[in-house]
């Protein structure tokens, strides 16, 4: 022990004679496997003091059973270690290298051991495992932890890997006026000299990334249904805005549905939910303390159906995790898809039953398929199972493959084996691995046994193989009847996934006049599949190869079908899911440079006045927006802008339309306005008392201010200043920061880019929210000089930011560019960094694909 009480930092230890792996940076798969084979029965008794503003001194007693000789390695990368004792004996010179604490074999005994460590960890607005937020309204401070995927070792010394689950006892010291929350129930609270010491019940076995606590002057609401009490916690200044009764009711319904579907009771002691300020993503499934993003759960203006469905879907997703992720956890983060994909898919099944009017499967398609296809057809795609040598790389596993492709593949699997076998297999899987860990092959084996069929090939093609198929119908008609209908399959990226066909089951739709359709179930088994049942049937208006969205492939349409849809067949499609998917197929024609973007834009503008589905409308207006901003030349898009403004303005003002439809048109108008008339209408709206049939609210005003700022309107600064004075809420402060990033000046861009790295007080949620405004397509000449620096920063971002930030960063910086010169910067940078870690290279390639497509589409359009 040094005189200062700080343990010496020693170099990493070499491989020991006993075969214990080296303890370098992160948690290596080699180290994790060694520990899971030699350590069991882990318990943490964790004590922390969070009364200081920027540090949390604490201690942890780690109990474990050791079944092999050799050293034991604990993970820790907090501020410092103060002291170490092993089995009650102080260690004079602990072996600590800044990442791991090595306990020598000579200090350990066979069987049960106790390692006690005193330490100090960080509290900070970002970059720490304990996140601190200050409420700008009343000055209150709130703390909460976020340890996913591998930040538990930033908080306290631990075996920070998912397959060493542990029972946890937490004791927390906080200011006496605060409420303290944990995974378990509060069993004791002792107050002395203005400090409360809260002790919580020991938990069921948890993976370290699921350990959680929160502290602050939270306000509590609760409800009890059928003997189960759920608590809802929110910060004091926003408590009146929370629709507590609805959120509690939705959570009760979610738990009851999951218990019935999984065939087993909620597996943990209590269920509380918390609305976390400045939360960096939608939700986190901590057992006993589920955290949600405050801004996504508090509606400051009247919510559309899309927002309401999105909120309930998030609740269902996090509730499903209590069984799939918390009760049974993946062994290693290479199987991250296993919990995330399943939670999304089961959430959709629950939504379809609990809210039949929600068009749940349409929402599922719109939320998952475009995002999955957008990444899976790039050169940077990965398999669902992503090889991971070190948990330092785990953040890169998060993204569309895990969250969007995985549930889509599960829908195909469910269709393939049938609902009884799927549900039976899931229940058997949970029963076998309860409070333990499992892999994707364990799940497939359980479902395969229930179905009475092997699923090994399915796993090899969809879990282990990267990439995706593209499917195109080849229709031959003679004398008004189908002579042959073939489904031709190819790989989107043969260099990544090979050329073999993916076997799966789909449903082909033949559409006829008058809205009549016929569906044919087809098993795809090769590059070319002959749909024999179609022979001799009347020639259809159009063919769609993925009716009801069971298949996982990009659907390209034959030219006859495209023309039929353009010429009015789309109007006769009354099924919302099918109509949404047909629009998706037409959009893919544009992105594959098979349909001129101006043709697509004119089709959308023609059909928008007829569209009454408030979930499809934002999809169409968003794609029209992308077409006009990125895919068309300035001269062509400027001609369409006035027409689009007129359609959108007319739609929002049509009192015969539903609120959701009018709101979709309003949002579209605000997002695209750029003509002189459009700008003037934006300024007029800021002075309006109502819009789209509803009172004007601050979120709408902020959207208008953002748009005026992006397009450099001379009235933008005055509008921004007035809105900052009007909206002094916490959300208003966040929106003001975003609006600042929208300023169209090099100085503003330089200031924000510097703050992204140099401002330790900048919350990550604020930074993420500002990236789109910073990288507005209209500003690409100003932001292109930052592109290379943005790429250079990727290793830093991966190490210091949360799981979704890297993807948001790349998507914003590359998505805000449309030129060949920007693409050249990216390709040159990749060539100059041959040693870039594979996971980061893949992330760049994923985001660069849209830029490459944009350049190609613009070039193709210019040649026409």
């Amino acid at each position: 022990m040094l005189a200062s009480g700080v343990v010496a930092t020693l170099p990493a230890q070499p491989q020991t004679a006993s075969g214990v792996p080296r303890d370098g940076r992160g948690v290596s798969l080699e180290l994790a496997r060694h520990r899971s084979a030699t350590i069991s029965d882990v318990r943490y008794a964790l004590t922390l003091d969070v009364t200081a503003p920027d540090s949390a001194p604490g201690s942890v007693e780690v109990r474990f059973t050791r079944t092999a000789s050799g050293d034991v390695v604990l993970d820790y990368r907090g501020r410092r270690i103060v002291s170490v004792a092993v089995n009650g004996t102080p260690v004079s010179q602990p072996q600590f290298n800044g990442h791991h604490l090595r306990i020598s074999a000579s200090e350990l005994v066979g069987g049960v051991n106790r390692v006690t460590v005193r330490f100090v960890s960080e509290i900070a607005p970002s970059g720490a495992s304990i996140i601190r937020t200050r409420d700008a309204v009343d000055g209150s401070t709130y703390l909460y932890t976020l340890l996913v995927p591998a930040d538990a070792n930033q908080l306290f010394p631990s075996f920070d890997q998912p397959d060493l689950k542990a029972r946890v006892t937490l004791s927390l010291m906080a200011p006496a006026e605060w409420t303290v929350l944990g995974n378990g129930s509060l069993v004791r609270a002792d107050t002395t000299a203005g400090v409360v010491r809260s002790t919580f019940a020991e938990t069921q076995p948890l993976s370290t990334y699921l350990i959680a606590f929160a502290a602050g002057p939270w306000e509590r609401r609760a409800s009890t249904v059928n003997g189960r009490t759920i608590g809802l916690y929110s910060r004091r200044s926003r408590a009146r805005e929370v629709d507590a009764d609805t959120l509690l009711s939705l959570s009760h319904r979610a738990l009851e549905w999951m218990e019935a579907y999984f065939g087993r009771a909620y597996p943990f002691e209590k269920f509380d939910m918390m609305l976390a300020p400045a939360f960096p993503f939608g939700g986190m499934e901590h057992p006993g303390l589920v955290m949600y993003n405050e801004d996504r759960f508090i509606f400051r203006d009247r919510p559309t159906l899309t927002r309401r469905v999105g909120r309930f879907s998030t609740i269902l997703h996090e509730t499903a995790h209590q069984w799939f992720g918390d009760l049974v956890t993946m062994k290693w983060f290479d199987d991250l898809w296993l919990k995330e994909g399943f939670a999304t898919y089961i959430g959709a099944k629950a939504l379809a039953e609990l809210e039949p009017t929600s068009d749940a499967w349409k929402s599922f398609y719109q939320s998952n398929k475009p995002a999955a296809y957008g990444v899976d057809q790039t050169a940077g795609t990965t398999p669902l199972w992503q090889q991971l040598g070190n948990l330092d790389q785990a953040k890169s596993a998060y993204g569309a493959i895990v969250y969007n492709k995985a549930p889509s593949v599960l829908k195909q699997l469910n269709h393939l084996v049938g609902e009884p076998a799927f549900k039976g297999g899931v229940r058997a899987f949970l029963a076998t691995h309860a409070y333990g860990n499992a892999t994707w092959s364990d799940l497939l084996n359980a479902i395969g046994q229930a179905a009475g069929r092997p699923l090994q090939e399915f796993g090899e093609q969809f879990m282990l193989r990267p990439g995706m198929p593209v499917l195109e119908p080849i229709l031959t008609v003679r004398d008004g009847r189908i002579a042959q209908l073939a489904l031709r399959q190819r790989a989107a990226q043969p260099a990544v996934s090979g050329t073999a066909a993916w076997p799966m089951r789909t449903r082909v739709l033949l559409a006829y006049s008058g809205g009549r359709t016929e569906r044919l179930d087809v098993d795809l088994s090769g590059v070319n599949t002959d749909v024999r049942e179609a022979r001799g049937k009347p020639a259809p208006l159009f063919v769609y190869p993925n009716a009801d969205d069971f298949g996982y492939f990009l659907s390209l349409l034959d030219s006859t079908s495209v023309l039929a849809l353009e010429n009015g067949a789309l109007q006769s499609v009354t099924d919302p899911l099918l109509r949404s998917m047909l629009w998706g197929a037409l959009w893919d024609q544009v992105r594959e440079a098979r349909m001129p973007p101006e043709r697509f834009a004119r089709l959308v503008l023609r059909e928008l006045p007829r569209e009454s589905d408030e979930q499809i409308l934002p999809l169409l207006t968003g794609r029209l927006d992308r077409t006009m901003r990125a895919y068309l030349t300035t001269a062509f898009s400027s001609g369409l802008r006035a027409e689009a403004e007129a359609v959108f303005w007319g739609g929002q003002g049509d009192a015969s339309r539903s609120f959701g439809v009018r709101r979709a048109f309003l949002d579209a108008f605000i997002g695209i306005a750029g003509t002189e008339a459009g700008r003037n209408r934006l300024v007029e709206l800021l002075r309006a008392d109502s819009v789209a049939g509803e009172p004007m609210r601050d979120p709408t005003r902020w959207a208008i201010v953002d748009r005026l700022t992006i397009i450099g309107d001379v009235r933008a600064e005055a509008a921004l200043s007035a809105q900052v004075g009007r909206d002094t809420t916490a959300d208003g402060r966040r929106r003001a920061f975003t609006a600042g990033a929208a300023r169209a000046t090099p100085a503003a861009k330089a200031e924000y880019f510097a703050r992204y790295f140099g401002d330790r007080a900048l919350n990550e949620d604020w930074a993420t929210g500002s990236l789109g405004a910073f990288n507005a397509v209209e500003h690409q000449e100003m932001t292109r000089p930052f592109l290379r620096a943005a790429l250079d920063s990727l290793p830093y971002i991966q190490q210091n930011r949360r799981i979704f930030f890297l993807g948001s960063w790349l998507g914003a910086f590359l998505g805000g560019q449309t030129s060949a010169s920007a693409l050249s910067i990216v390709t040159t940078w990749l060539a100059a960094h041959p040693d870039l870690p594979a996971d980061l290279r893949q992330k760049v390639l994923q985001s660069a694909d849209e830029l490459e497509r944009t350049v190609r589409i613009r070039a193709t359009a210019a040649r026409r």
Side-chain angles (χ1 to χ4, degrees):
M1 180 77 63
L2 302 180
S4 64
V6 180
V7 173
T9 298
L10 304 178
Q13 301 300 305
Q15 181 93 7
T16 64
S18 63
V20 179
R22 293 186 298 273
D23 41 342
R25 191 183 188 94
V27 179
S28 69
L29 178 58
E30 180 188 18
L31 174 60
R33 283 175 172 170
H34 175 83
R35 293 195 301 207
S36 64
T38 59
I39 292 171
S40 62
D41 301 325
V42 181
R43 277 179 161 81
Y44 300 118
L46 176 62
T47 299
L48 285 164
D49 183 337
V50 296
T51 56
D54 63 354
S55 62
S59 67
V60 62
E61 181 184 86
V62 186
R63 285 178 175 262
F64 58 92
T65 299
R66 174 172 169 256
T67 58
S69 60
D71 300 349
V72 167
V73 175
L74 287 164
D75 314 315
Y76 183 65
R77 53 187 174 88
R79 182 182 290 187
R80 67 178 181 270
I81 285 179
V82 177
S83 66
V84 179
V86 180
N87 294 319
T89 302
V91 178
S92 59
Q93 287 289 327
Q95 301 177 70
F96 178 58
N97 66 0
H99 299 279
H100 299 278
L101 174 65
R102 181 177 285 266
I103 308 300
S104 174
S106 62
E107 298 162 332
L108 298 165
V109 298
V112 177
N113 286 265
R114 291 182 298 112
V115 176
T116 305
V117 186
R118 292 174 56 230
F119 58 88
V120 179
S121 292
E122 298 282 344
I123 301 175
S126 64
S129 54
I130 305 177
I131 298 173
R132 181 186 72 241
T133 61
R134 181 182 179 276
D135 192 321
V137 176
D138 63 11
S140 298
T141 296
Y142 294 88
L143 307 177
Y144 57 86
T145 55
L146 198 54
L147 309 183
V148 64
D151 283 348
N153 71 84
Q154 192 182 41
L155 178 63
F156 68 99
S158 58
F159 300 117
D160 199 4
Q161 61 189 73
D163 63 342
L164 276 181
K165 289 190 168 184
R167 295 181 183 271
V168 183
T169 304
L170 173 67
S171 182
L172 206 66
M173 286 170 282
E177 65 272 18
W178 284 9
T179 297
V180 182
L181 313 170
N183 297 107
S185 295
L186 181 67
V187 295
R188 184 174 178 180
D190 301 308
T191 302
T192 305
V195 175
V196 60
R197 182 183 181 117
S198 303
T199 302
F200 295 88
E202 185 179 63
T203 69
Q204 294 278 17
L206 301 180
S207 295
T208 44
Y209 76 89
L210 295 170
I211 297 169
F213 67 80
W218 305 102
E219 185 156 317
R220 182 178 186 264
R221 293 282 296 276
S223 71
T224 302
V225 176
N226 295 329
R228 175 189 287 126
T229 298
I230 297 178
L232 169 62
Y233 295 85
S234 60
R235 57 171 155 163
R236 187 167 49 196
S237 69
R238 301 201 70 180
R240 292 183 179 179
E241 300 177 74
V242 178
D243 187 3
D245 291 341
T246 298
L247 295 180
L248 288 166
S249 175
L250 292 176
S251 293
H252 278 293
R253 294 174 68 199
L255 282 167
E256 289 170 3
W257 189 94
M258 298 295 169
E259 287 180 326
Y261 186 85
F262 292 131
R264 58 186 305 133
Y266 172 66
F268 299 99
E269 181 219 354
K270 72 175 179 74
F271 188 96
D272 286 330
M273 52 195 297
M274 187 190 88
L275 306 187
F279 202 63
F281 33 97
M284 183 61 207
E285 67 267 20
H286 309 117
L289 184 60
V290 179
M291 296 181 186
Y292 294 111
N293 183 298
E294 175 190 74
D295 291 316
R296 297 188 199 180
F297 271 53
I298 296 177
F299 298 143
R300 299 189 67 201
D301 52 4
R302 180 178 172 180
T304 61
L305 174 64
T306 299
R307 293 176 68 194
R308 297 196 307 272
V309 168
R311 184 172 68 174
F312 194 17
S313 294
T314 301
I315 289 173
L316 292 166
H317 177 100
E318 304 304 340
T319 305
H321 269 315
Q322 305 304 306
W323 288 263
F324 238 91
D326 297 359
L327 175 66
V328 180
T329 312
M330 70 272 168
K331 284 189 176 181
W332 188 241
F333 273 90
D334 51 13
D335 257 336
L336 176 64
W337 78 270
L338 189 62
K339 74 180 187 77
E340 296 299 345
F342 215 92
T344 296
Y345 181 59
I346 292 296
K349 290 174 78 75
L351 182 66
E353 288 192 21
L354 292 170
E355 297 287 349
T357 62
S358 68
D359 278 332
W361 293 115
K362 180 189 66 181
S363 298
F364 178 87
Y365 164 76
Q366 292 184 176
S367 299
N368 291 289
K369 289 299 182 69
Y373 295 162
V375 170
D376 213 16
Q377 60 185 305
T378 73
T381 192
T382 67
L384 290 183
W385 181 88
Q386 300 182 42
Q387 188 171 4
L388 203 68
N390 193 296
L391 286 188
D392 262 8
Q393 304 161 0
K395 292 177 185 177
S396 296
Y398 288 79
I401 297 300
V402 163
Y403 281 87
N404 306 114
K405 177 178 179 176
S408 305
V409 168
L410 287 168
K411 186 175 182 183
Q412 163 65 194
L413 176 61
N414 198 158
H415 180 59
L416 193 65
V417 303
E419 178 62 15
F422 186 82
K423 181 190 286 188
V426 167
R427 289 182 171 186
F429 172 82
L430 293 174
T432 301
H433 302 285
Y435 300 106
N437 301 83
T439 68
W440 68 266
S441 58
D442 294 322
L443 175 64
L444 277 197
N445 287 339
I447 295 175
Q449 288 180 13
R453 58 180 294 175
L455 293 174
Q456 180 179 358
E457 183 182 14
F458 186 91
E460 291 173 353
Q461 296 294 332
F462 286 100
M463 282 69 184
L464 301 181
R465 183 182 179 186
M468 63 171 295
V470 177
L471 205 70
E472 183 174 3
I474 310 298
L475 179 65
T476 304
V477 175
R478 292 193 187 97
D479 300 324
R481 293 194 173 272
I482 298 174
Q484 184 182 40
L485 175 58
L487 301 179
R488 182 176 298 168
Q489 185 183 152
R490 64 175 171 84
Q493 287 285 347
V496 175
S497 57
T499 59
W502 279 262
M504 72 182 94
R505 180 171 295 167
T506 188
R507 183 168 289 167
V508 176
L509 179 134
L510 307 177
Y512 298 93
S513 60
R516 186 173 66 87
T517 62
E518 186 169 351
R519 286 165 164 80
L520 306 174
D521 287 329
V522 181
D523 287 319
L524 303 175
S525 56
V527 173
N528 289 292
T529 299
D530 184 13
V531 185
R532 295 180 181 179
E533 290 183 46
R535 291 180 184 177
K537 293 184 181 296
L541 287 176
F542 66 86
V543 177
Y544 186 65
N546 193 17
D548 303 317
D549 194 32
F550 292 120
Y552 181 77
F553 51 80
L554 192 74
S555 299
L556 293 181
L557 303 175
D558 63 281
S559 58
T560 300
S561 294
V562 172
L563 287 173
L565 292 169
E566 284 187 282
N567 291 331
L570 197 56
Q571 299 171 21
S572 65
V573 178
T574 58
D575 177 358
L577 170 59
L578 178 59
R579 194 162 69 253
S580 182
M581 295 181 74
L582 289 170
W583 275 116
L586 289 169
W587 179 241
D588 288 328
Q589 298 283 121
V590 177
R591 298 186 74 249
E592 291 289 311
R594 291 165 53 124
M595 182 179 188
E598 61 269 22
R599 248 173 71 192
F600 179 81
R602 294 215 171 273
L603 177 61
V604 172
L605 285 172
R606 189 190 76 196
E607 294 297 322
L608 276 174
R610 298 188 182 99
E611 184 57 66
S612 60
D613 189 307
E614 63 179 272
Q615 291 176 296
I616 293 178
L617 269 168
L619 198 73
L620 295 182
T621 57
R623 288 167 177 171
L624 178 61
D625 183 273
R626 180 64 185 174
T627 299
M628 296 202 316
R629 286 180 199 268
Y631 293 168
L632 294 174
T633 63
T634 302
F636 201 99
S637 64
S638 61
L640 279 176
R641 188 177 299 277
E643 185 177 347
E645 287 181 2
V647 171
F648 298 163
W649 185 256
Q652 71 83 28
D654 187 349
S656 68
R657 299 278 207 143
S658 69
F659 163 73
V661 167
R662 295 180 71 180
R663 182 73 217 194
F665 278 119
L666 173 66
D667 291 341
F669 176 81
I670 294 172
I672 207 169
T675 67
E676 183 178 357
R679 295 177 185 217
N680 290 337
R681 276 178 167 156
L682 289 179
V683 174
E684 292 168 7
L685 279 175
L686 285 175
R687 296 192 290 266
D689 294 325
S690 64
V691 64
E694 286 291 313
M696 173 66 84
R697 306 289 188 188
D698 281 318
T700 303
R701 291 192 181 93
W702 278 116
I704 294 169
V705 168
D706 287 347
R707 182 61 185 164
L708 289 171
T709 307
I710 286 172
I711 59 182
D713 190 276
V714 294
R715 296 159 289 188
E717 285 299 323
L720 174 56
S721 178
Q723 184 57 21
V724 168
R726 174 193 293 272
D727 188 4
T728 59
T729 65
D731 184 56
R733 303 292 181 93
R734 179 181 65 87
R735 293 299 301 263
F737 179 80
T738 297
R743 288 190 172 102
T745 66
K749 302 302 182 187
E751 175 193 348
Y752 268 72
F753 195 85
R755 288 192 69 182
Y756 290 144
F757 299 97
D759 185 355
R760 284 183 54 82
L762 177 61
N763 186 278
E764 194 168 299
D765 182 53
W766 285 30
T768 302
S770 70
L771 292 176
F774 182 99
N775 288 285
V777 172
E778 292 88 344
H779 299 173
Q780 59 183 299
E781 298 295 332
M782 277 181 286
T783 56
R784 193 176 305 129
F786 295 96
L787 187 52
R788 185 173 286 106
L791 293 168
D792 287 337
S793 70
L794 295 181
Y796 172 87
I797 288 173
Q798 184 184 52
Q799 189 64 35
N800 294 281
R801 295 290 181 260
R802 298 289 173 182
I803 53 180
F804 296 114
F805 191 85
L806 182 69
S808 298
W809 179 265
L810 280 169
F813 275 91
L814 274 65
Q817 302 293 322
T818 67
S819 68
S821 58
L823 180 60
S824 177
I825 290 173
V826 177
T827 55
T828 300
W829 186 87
L830 283 170
H833 293 80
D835 297 328
L836 187 70
D839 59 324
L840 289 181
R841 181 174 295 275
Q842 287 167 334
K843 287 292 186 183
V844 176
L845 289 172
Q846 289 171 14
S847 293
D849 183 83
E850 174 60 22
L851 176 55
E852 189 275 332
R853 286 176 186 273
T854 300
V855 171
R856 185 170 70 251
I857 291 168
R858 289 172 68 91
T860 303
R863 290 194 297 269
R864 290 192 176 102

